[in-house]
Amino acid sequence: MIDRLTIDKIMDATNIVDVVGEFVTLRKAGVNYKGLCPFHDDKTPSFMVSPSKQICKCFACGEGGTAINFLMKHEQITYPEALRWLAKKYNIEIEEKELTDEEKREQSERESMLIINEWAKNYFHDILKTDPDGIAIGKQYFRSRGIRDDIIEKFSLGYALQKRDALATAAMKAGYQAEFLVKTGLCINHEKGIYDRYAGRVIFPWLNVSGKVVAFGGRLLDARTKGVQQKYVNSPDSEIYHKDHELYGLYQAKKAIAKDDRVYMVEGYTDVIAMHQCGLENVVANSGTALSVYQIKLLRRFTQNITLLYDGDEAGIHAAMRGTDMLLAEGMNIKVLLLPDGDDPDSFARKHTATEFKEYIEKNATDFISFKTRLTVENVTDPVKRSEAIGGIVKSISVVPDPILRSTYLSELSQRLGIKEQTLLNSMNGMISKDIEEKIS
């Protein structure tokens, strides 16, 4: 239990603008602040925060209340958990008795899984820093990639020992149940018992937007990847982790994203880490999965501006193309940058300073119209193929929710291709009408 005096100290220290600002990008609006509501699909800012009254309210869906109410609803946590969250944020010490074994068993499955993931993150990280194999193999791998110790700490990178039951043995010795080792995906059931999923791999913990450890990624070391298709193994979907709901690095990046009003989207863990080390912190990765609407909505809380940043090979081009229409439909402003041949964000960041990297992005990033036109229309002489490619770009424009922006994109496409704007407009309107008919039927 948390005593009344401590609760009062927590509430006195709490600033609702700070709390809501951890999850929603807020803009000054007179004496208040406003942003996109995180509780419904908000297209225009309707979520108001009052610093004087210390309350928030959405004037569209009605959700709101105090900082405690906001946290309970947004993070799906209990009242005591919301108090602990605030106490941690404002460095207020809470003295609580240690949970008994019986109390541990009575915790919800979700909370138990989060607890064991937090323990596993610390376990892997400690192995990397103190175990002889962790230092000689795991830490040496990160150093060979040029990753500094402060970045290792920032992302809580770790190492899993090669012994197939090392983590399972340590976890059960610490009092954690095998049931939750399997449910989190840390271990796999076998007829002879359970064994570790990530044995012999370097570890990348996944933190959700509020900093809870929901999953892990494990990478085979370079010496073992030859001929192996699965360099990376990630946590399976579970009660606490759905891969299409999370973005790697968002927790570490969210403040920089809001500050710069832009997010860089890359493909992998090491791309995110290298860019942080370079000095560009507003970066996230979807780590090989197709971008989902849920992930886009998550990003849109912090910014509407996104730059897709991939290497210039065929896979990079494919990654840049997929998800474009979803991003546009959610009101995101897209720029695309394909790095020079032979470079990905990881290698490019290691060779350049943050200033140099930013300058390169500003000089070479293009809007999606230019990107798609150059990629699919230019140098195409076959009339049918050219018409199909232009139709694909018009289709992308048709999903943009803002009619003024749609018109601007059409005008730009008309000038680029030398096609009458009215012709493109007629085509787009036909596509929009067809989409409406399909939704109704």
Side-chain angles (χ1 to χ4, degrees):
M1 294 291 291
I2 304 174
D3 63 84
R4 185 71 247 173
L5 182 62
T6 304
I7 293 174
D8 290 341
K9 284 174 64 179
I10 292 170
M11 299 313 297
D12 288 343
T14 297
N15 182 332
I16 194 167
V17 177
D18 290 343
V19 175
V20 175
E22 290 275 333
F23 307 94
V24 179
T25 299
L26 296 174
R27 308 291 185 203
K28 200 84 165 65
V31 296
N32 297 321
Y33 292 80
K34 67 179 180 180
L36 294 172
C37 179
F39 302 117
H40 78 282
D41 190 11
D42 202 4
K43 297 297 185 184
T44 56
S46 57
F47 196 76
M48 302 296 294
V49 182
S50 169
S52 60
K53 297 178 181 178
Q54 286 295 299
I55 59 171
C56 57
K57 182 177 176 63
C58 176
F59 288 91
C61 72
E63 287 289 348
T66 65
I68 289 282
N69 300 136
F70 176 87
L71 284 171
M72 290 173 66
K73 173 72 176 178
H74 189 277
E75 295 299 287
Q76 292 294 294
I77 56 179
T78 63
Y79 176 73
E81 288 171 333
L83 286 173
R84 293 187 194 102
W85 191 99
L86 290 169
K88 183 178 179 181
K89 177 175 176 62
Y90 293 104
N91 298 313
I92 297 171
E93 186 176 353
I94 294 178
E95 291 187 10
E96 294 186 84
K97 63 185 179 69
E98 188 175 345
L99 294 176
T100 65
D101 289 342
E102 181 62 27
E103 287 170 328
K104 284 181 182 178
R105 285 192 292 271
E106 290 174 355
Q107 288 181 109
S108 69
E109 179 174 301
R110 179 181 175 84
E111 186 176 352
S112 296
M113 292 170 73
L114 290 170
I115 289 170
I116 203 166
N117 269 359
E118 180 68 23
W119 174 88
K121 179 200 76 172
N122 295 332
Y123 167 82
F124 290 134
H125 189 55
D126 188 61
I127 291 291
L128 183 78
K129 294 199 301 181
T130 63
D131 184 271
D133 284 347
I135 295 169
I137 303 173
K139 199 163 191 177
Q140 180 56 37
Y141 169 79
F142 288 124
R143 282 179 173 159
S144 73
R145 301 294 297 256
I147 299 173
R148 299 191 309 259
D149 285 355
D150 62 306
I151 300 297
I152 288 174
E153 292 295 323
K154 184 175 187 177
F155 287 88
S156 299
L157 303 178
Y159 178 69
L161 295 171
Q162 294 187 38
K163 188 180 178 185
R164 294 311 302 264
D165 63 348
L167 175 134
T169 300
M172 287 187 281
K173 186 177 179 180
Y176 297 100
Q177 298 175 30
E179 172 191 1
F180 295 113
L181 289 170
V182 174
K183 284 184 175 179
T184 55
L186 286 164
C187 295
I188 299 172
N189 256 327
H190 190 269
E191 58 184 14
K192 295 181 179 179
I194 64 172
Y195 62 88
D196 301 350
R197 182 180 296 272
Y198 305 109
R201 296 173 184 260
V202 288
I203 302 297
F204 302 84
W206 279 67
L207 277 61
N208 67 11
V209 70
S210 58
K212 296 183 185 296
V213 186
V214 293
F216 297 90
R219 188 195 192 282
L220 281 176
L221 303 185
D222 289 337
R224 296 175 56 201
T225 58
K226 191 174 182 180
V228 177
Q229 291 187 357
Q230 239 184 344
K231 286 184 182 180
Y232 286 94
V233 170
N234 298 315
S235 296
D237 272 20
S238 69
E239 180 69 23
I240 60 172
Y241 171 67
H242 301 287
K243 63 183 178 181
D244 63 344
H245 282 39
E246 306 293 342
L247 288 161
Y248 182 76
L250 181 57
Y251 176 71
Q252 292 89 345
K254 61 184 181 179
K255 289 182 180 178
I257 293 170
K259 180 182 177 183
D260 292 357
D261 194 22
R262 176 165 299 277
V263 62
Y264 299 121
M265 172 72 74
V266 296
E267 285 197 275
Y269 306 126
T270 55
D271 295 326
V272 170
I273 290 167
M275 288 182 68
H276 267 263
Q277 182 159 295
C278 168
L280 297 177
E281 298 185 341
N282 52 325
V283 55
V284 299
N286 57 333
S287 295
T289 63
L291 198 61
S292 73
V293 172
Y294 190 98
Q295 290 168 327
I296 298 168
K297 290 182 186 295
L298 195 58
L299 285 175
R300 198 169 180 270
R301 294 184 200 172
F302 302 98
T303 184
Q304 287 181 256
N305 303 307
I306 184 168
T307 299
L308 305 177
L309 196 58
Y310 301 122
D311 53 333
D313 61 11
E314 188 176 341
I317 292 170
H318 177 69
M321 291 289 283
R322 70 185 180 194
T324 299
D325 287 4
M326 281 194 295
L327 285 163
L328 291 169
E330 291 301 319
M332 298 293 280
N333 305 315
I334 309 171
K335 287 196 171 184
V336 183
L337 174 62
L338 298 180
L339 292 169
D341 286 347
D343 267 322
D344 56 22
D346 178 6
S347 61
F348 196 86
R350 282 188 271 141
K351 293 186 289 189
H352 296 84
T353 65
T355 301
E356 291 170 342
F357 205 155
K358 273 189 175 180
E359 287 175 352
Y360 185 85
I361 293 170
E362 288 169 7
K363 183 179 179 181
N364 295 281
T366 61
D367 62 48
F368 90 96
I369 295 285
S370 303
F371 174 72
K372 277 197 166 185
T373 301
R374 188 176 72 249
L375 201 66
T376 64
V377 179
E378 289 181 5
N379 302 318
V380 176
T381 55
D382 183 278
V384 175
K385 290 182 179 179
R386 186 176 174 85
S387 175
E388 288 175 350
I390 294 169
I393 299 173
V394 174
K395 177 67 175 174
S396 294
I397 296 173
S398 75
V399 304
V400 174
D402 184 343
I404 296 176
L405 188 56
R406 280 204 307 267
S407 178
T408 303
Y409 280 143
L410 273 185
S411 178
E412 182 185 335
L413 186 63
S414 170
Q415 292 175 22
R416 272 184 167 276
L417 300 179
I419 298 175
K420 289 182 180 179
E421 192 171 335
Q422 187 62 46
T423 302
L424 297 175
L425 180 61
N426 292 340
S427 177
M428 185 184 74
N429 287 339
M431 293 174 182
I432 293 172
S433 297
K434 186 178 178 181
D435 285 342
I436 293 172
E437 288 174 8
E438 288 176 353
K439 287 177 182 176
I440 294 173
S441 60

